[in-house]
Amino acid sequence: MGDIDGNTLLARSLKEQGVEYVFGIVGFPVIEFGMACQMEGLHYIGMRNEQAACYAAQAIGYLTGKPGVCLAVSGPGFLHTVGGLANAQINCWPVLVIGGAVAQDHEGIGGFQECNQVELARPYCKYSARPPSVPLIPMHVEKAIRLTMYGRPGAAYLDLPANILSQRVLEEIVPAQYKVGPIPVIYPQPSLIEKAANMLIQAKRPLVIVGKGAAYARAETEVTNLVNYTNLPFLATPMGKGVVPDVHRNSIAPARSLALQQADCILLIGARLNWILHFGRPPRFSPDVKVIQIDICAEELNNSVNSAVAIQTDIKPAILQLLQILESRKYVFDRKNDWWNQLNKKCSDNRSGAQAMALDVSTPLNYYAVFHHLQQLFPQNPIIVSEGANTMDIGRAVLTNNLPRHRLDAGTFGTMGVGPGFAIAAALWCRHYAPNKRVICVEGDSAFGFSAFGFSGMEIETMVRYKLPIIIVIVNNSGIYGGVAKEVYSEFQESGEGTRTVPPTTLAFSTRYEKMMELFGKQGHFCETIPELQNAVKAALSVEDSPSIINIIISPSADRRPQTFAWLTESKL
């Protein structure tokens, strides 16, 4: 045995723990570590912004079930990852951030990019630490990886000073590497499953809500079997879409408000009663609703409401046991009862309203027409990445997901700027696991502005460099939420600098984002009509070694169809 340096030992430790992907930006003091990752057989993806790198690393963690790694330089580079760390922690996705740090003998005297990174990361992590010596690197890697995966998934941070990375030690003094064992399975308390079954059987207006936790748990077979057998109506949270196919006849997504407001018993599978589900409280929910909560995290139970049954468990065994009891009692919910009749009528009425908007192809276009015609042209079961306000929300209702983990969006933290990072991760996953699948990144123009010119600047160059055939669709209404008409915008421009007159939600009118492709000698697509959109999508689908940008201009005043409630439940305090 010879000697080994910290860079090599760190890369080797990641490899031995099953890590496959490292996303990052190299610079002092982590250049050699980036090279060591490739020497050890890891996929290293050089990004253009640390925040985008962290988004990509957590998305690959969600798609594979194994944490991706984000690599950042010290100081400002690490600080750029904090938004990504918080997003992963709150979104419950596994990721490990590794930050280079100032050499220990330079700490306290104004070292280059000196920053208290361990403490800054701690509020947004399950584990934040600095290995105190080279031989202890493997121990800290194992613990960090284990904690990102065990229990509720989340983020971890490891701090590596320059002197630790470059130091060489004898391999014989490095302790044997422990490997992360299989994730422990938490089984439900049988009496609670029995109680949940009794409650469902007695319910007059039952509802199943399928969350992102069910997707991460790979519980699609069990949950779909439950819906198929019991005939219960179901709703999916944004990233719970596809666990049970959107086209399933029991999906009552168009009647979401009615279903939430009038259900008397809700089976909540891997979803949290946070803002996305309006906290489970009136007026969005019945004040007498009984909630059956199934979650892997004990601290989540009874967090917003006092659940009638709160079960800490992995989802697969819980749903299997619940279905066994319901089958033994031959429980099937009658599709001819009043509850199904109400839901079906509401679904039909709301679909009719949306369909009328989808068929209105007058210019400037509206959201529903754009998404309807995109849906007709998309290949089968693409991974859809989406961010923006109306773009994300309306797109969720129109663009279908019939497979789990095929929708990645702004998530629980509501983060804008995630699109390019998520799309890069999804395209790499497709390359290695589903080579015939395509990634469609649907962005509002303000969200794309965050991504392309802000947080994730020039990640399109990353896509070009790695030959990732991501189709970026920008739904451009010239504003944040909404812009102003061309004539009004021109008046603002003519009036002077506009800092006291241009509304804060206004962006430049019809920005030509597609021209970014010309930076790389490629052609983007500018669309104002449905035929132009159709031609652009067909052209983009023919490209297999490069990203494409389709910039679709819609009305600045385009909006979602009228809602029973505002999309965000507001505090009344």
Side-chain angles (χ1 to χ4, degrees), residues 393-421:
D393 294 336
I394 298 171
R396 178 178 69 245
V398 180
L399 302 175
T400 57
N401 294 98
N402 294 318
L403 292 175
R405 299 172 296 281
H406 276 55
R407 177 180 169 87
L408 309 176
D409 66 23
T412 311
F413 208 30
T415 308
M416 294 296 103
V418 297

Side-chain angles (χ1 to χ4, degrees), residues 300-426:
E300 192 61 42
L301 303 178
N302 301 302
N303 193 39
S304 179
V305 300
N306 186 20
S307 297
V309 186
I311 312 171
Q312 184 195 13
T313 175
D314 275 88
I315 291 173
K316 283 188 176 186
I319 300 303
L320 278 171
Q321 291 182 28
L322 179 61
L323 182 55
Q324 287 172 358
I325 294 174
L326 295 174
E327 285 177 334
S328 70
R329 300 185 187 179
K330 296 180 171 53
Y331 169 74
V332 176
F333 192 63
D334 185 6
R335 286 191 71 90
K336 296 180 181 179
N337 66 15
D338 288 343
W339 181 228
W340 261 120
N341 289 338
Q342 290 180 59
L343 293 172
N344 286 332
K345 183 179 185 305
K346 192 66 172 179
C347 284
S348 178
D349 291 346
N350 286 344
R351 285 193 183 103
S352 297
Q355 185 71 6
M357 297 178 73
L359 296 178
D360 177 6
V361 296
S362 60
T363 57
L365 297 167
N366 69 75
Y367 285 103
Y368 292 87
V370 167
F371 290 131
H372 172 73
H373 289 88
L374 285 174
Q375 177 70 46
Q376 291 183 324
L377 293 166
F378 280 174
Q380 187 176 20
N381 294 322
I383 293 181
I384 298 174
V385 178
S386 186
E387 60 176 328
N390 290 340
T391 297
M392 182 172 65
D393 294 336
I394 298 171
R396 178 178 69 245
V398 180
L399 302 175
T400 57
N401 294 98
N402 294 318
L403 292 175
R405 299 172 296 281
H406 276 55
R407 177 180 169 87
L408 309 176
D409 66 23
T412 311
F413 208 30
T415 308
M416 294 296 103
V418 297
F422 284 4
I424 287 168

Side-chain angles (χ1 to χ4, degrees), residues 7 40 138 339-340 390 436 509:
N7 286 302
E40 293 299 322
W339 181 228
W340 261 120
N390 290 340
N436 295 322
F509 190 82

Side-chain angles (χ1 to χ4, degrees), residues 25-106:
I25 300 176
V26 296
F28 180 81
V30 295
I31 296 174
E32 291 79 8
F33 172 63
M35 297 176 179
C37 287
Q38 291 181 317
M39 292 292 291
E40 293 299 322
L42 298 171
H43 295 287
Y44 178 82
I45 301 92
M47 304 285 284
R48 300 299 297 266
N49 178 275
E50 291 88 355
Q51 196 163 344
C54 197
Y55 294 144
Q58 63 196 255
I60 207 74
Y62 174 66
L63 292 169
T64 65
K66 295 180 288 187
V69 170
C70 171
L71 174 63
V73 300
S74 52
F78 158 77
L79 288 171
H80 289 168
T81 72
V82 173
L85 274 172
N87 190 71
Q89 184 71 356
I90 293 169
N91 218 26
C92 307
W93 286 2
V95 72
L96 169 61
V97 173
I98 293 176
V102 62
Q104 289 166 301
D105 58 323
H106 289 180

Side-chain angles (χ1 to χ4, degrees), residues 253-258 260-261 278 284 346 350 353-354 357 368 390 393-394 396-397 559-568:
R256 182 180 190 270
S257 293
L258 173 70
L260 295 180
Q261 194 175 30
H278 317 291
R284 290 298 190 90
K346 192 66 172 179
N350 286 344
M357 297 178 73
Y368 292 87
N390 290 340
D393 294 336
I394 298 171
R396 178 178 69 245
D559 202 353
R560 67 191 82 194
R561 61 180 183 78
Q563 303 289 307
T564 304
F565 293 96
W567 70 273
L568 182 62

Side-chain angles (χ1 to χ4, degrees), residues 475-494:
V475 185
N476 188 346
N477 69 353
S478 303
I480 302 171
Y481 298 106
V484 297
K486 184 177 182 180
E487 297 76 16
V488 177
Y489 180 76
S490 297
E491 290 177 10
F492 288 145
Q493 291 291 92
E494 293 169 3

